[in-house]
Each structure stands twice: as structure tokens, then as C-alpha cells.
Amino acid sequence: MPPTPPHPSPAVTSLGASDARFRFLAETIPVQVWTAKPDGLLDYVSPRAVIEFGVPLQTLLSEGWLNILHPEDRPLAIERWTTALRTGEGYEVEFRLRLADGQYAWYLARAVPERDASGHILQWLGTNTNIHEQRESQRRTEALLAEVAKQARQTETALVRLRAEKLAAEQRVAELEAKFSSR
């Protein structure tokens, strides 16, 4: 009879289950999940990011993620990330990222540091959430509100003009009535 393989210790089983659970969560929730070393270098990017951006994993893990940032948004994103790395405070910024089809979409990036018992940063845990539809909806709402405000101003101007014309007409009628009643 062959020897029985040793059973993994509960700690090893628990670690494996924990890793599997993390992978499941990171790969199925509807956001991009990423982690970075204490110095800010990415060391994990969920498959969702690779698919959405159409960029190889190794490119994203190096500083290739900067190449998919919209050029106008790079300075703010870099400034916020370097500030977070310097201060150890959370990171949050909205920026546009280039998708696999070449179009840009708005994302909300957030990260928090994971610290050891001494307060030293072990890693950064982050997400990128596609907020493009919300931004577009907000833009459309603001455009509609601006149009309504413009029409309200035009209506108010027209009402002021009509009131002035009505007052002038009433004064003219009064003058004519006074003229004809005095005869």
C-alpha cells in the first residue's frame, strides 16, 4: 500500500483558501484591482485591466500604465500618487484611461496603504472604477440645466419687455380715453 500523503496543515490550507478567495474577488468584482509595493511600483493588476486596456500585464506592471493615462490627466495623477507615497495617506484621483479600442474613459482610482504593526507600509491596495457613464450623465444633466437657465433668462427678458410694452399701451389708452372724454 502506498504511503498516505501528508495532510496540509490548517495554516497552509487557510492560506491557500485565502489566496483563492482574493483571486476570485479581484478577478470578478466589477472594478480593476491592483497592488503596489511600498515604493509605488505595481506588483499585481487584475485581469480586468489587461482586458479593458488591451495592454500586456508586464507593460502595466512596469510604468506602462502611465502611457494609457490621458496626457492632460498625467500631471494630476502623478502628483497625487507621489504625494500619497511621500505622506502615506490614501490616494484618490479621477482621470481618463485609454481603452483597448483607443477611446478614453473616466476612472476613479483609489488606494490605501496596508501597514505593519509598526506603521510601515507593506503594500498599497488599489482599485480603478470606471465612472465614465456617471461623468457623461452628469455632463448631460449640467448641459440641460444650462439650457433651462438660458431659456429662463430669455423668458424673463421677454416678460420684462412685454410688461413694459403693456404699461406703455395702458398709458397710451389712458391718454386717448382722457383726450376723447374731454371733448
Side-chain angles (χ1 to χ4, degrees):
M1 179 168 187
T4 329
H7 293 309
S9 72
V12 171
T13 304
S14 177
L15 184 59
S18 177
D19 185 53
R21 185 166 188 222
F22 168 78
R23 295 257 178 233
F24 173 76
L25 288 171
E27 294 174 9
T28 59
I29 60 174
V31 298
Q32 299 169 358
V33 176
W34 52 270
T35 61
K37 297 175 184 177
D39 64 3
L41 186 63
L42 293 175
D43 58 1
Y44 173 80
V45 176
S46 64
R48 180 178 295 276
V50 173
I51 293 166
E52 288 183 18
F53 302 136
V55 175
L57 177 62
Q58 283 310 115
T59 302
L60 289 175
L61 290 177
S62 67
E63 293 191 11
W65 68 272
L66 290 169
N67 296 326
I68 61 172
L69 263 170
H70 192 283
E72 293 173 9
D73 302 334
R74 278 186 197 144
L76 179 62
I78 291 169
E79 183 271 324
R80 295 262 177 96
W81 185 231
T82 55
T83 297
L85 294 174
R86 187 180 73 253
T87 64
E89 295 175 4
Y91 169 68
E92 183 171 319
V93 66
E94 291 182 12
F95 48 57
R96 291 163 289 181
L97 295 172
R98 189 178 61 245
L99 302 175
D101 66 4
Q103 299 294 315
Y104 282 91
W106 282 98
Y107 282 80
L108 169 62
R110 291 180 171 154
V112 293
E114 177 187 3
R115 298 176 186 274
D116 65 14
S118 303
H120 297 100
I121 295 175
L122 299 171
Q123 69 176 343
W124 289 88
L125 307 166
T127 60
N128 292 342
T129 305
N130 187 320
I131 59 168
H132 195 76
E133 285 302 315
Q134 293 92 325
R135 293 274 305 226
E136 285 300 304
S137 177
Q138 180 182 1
R139 183 194 59 76
R140 287 189 300 272
T141 299
E142 289 170 357
L144 285 171
L145 289 173
E147 181 61 29
V148 168
K150 176 183 170 187
Q151 289 179 4
R153 286 190 302 275
Q154 291 172 342
T155 301
E156 183 179 4
T157 300
L159 285 173
V160 168
R161 183 179 45 79
L162 287 172
R163 283 188 193 123
E165 289 174 4
K166 178 184 175 204
L167 183 58
E170 288 171 346
Q171 288 174 345
R172 180 67 180 140
V173 167
E175 289 170 4
L176 290 173
E177 287 176 344
K179 182 178 178 182
F180 287 113
S181 66
S182 63
R183 289 189 182 178

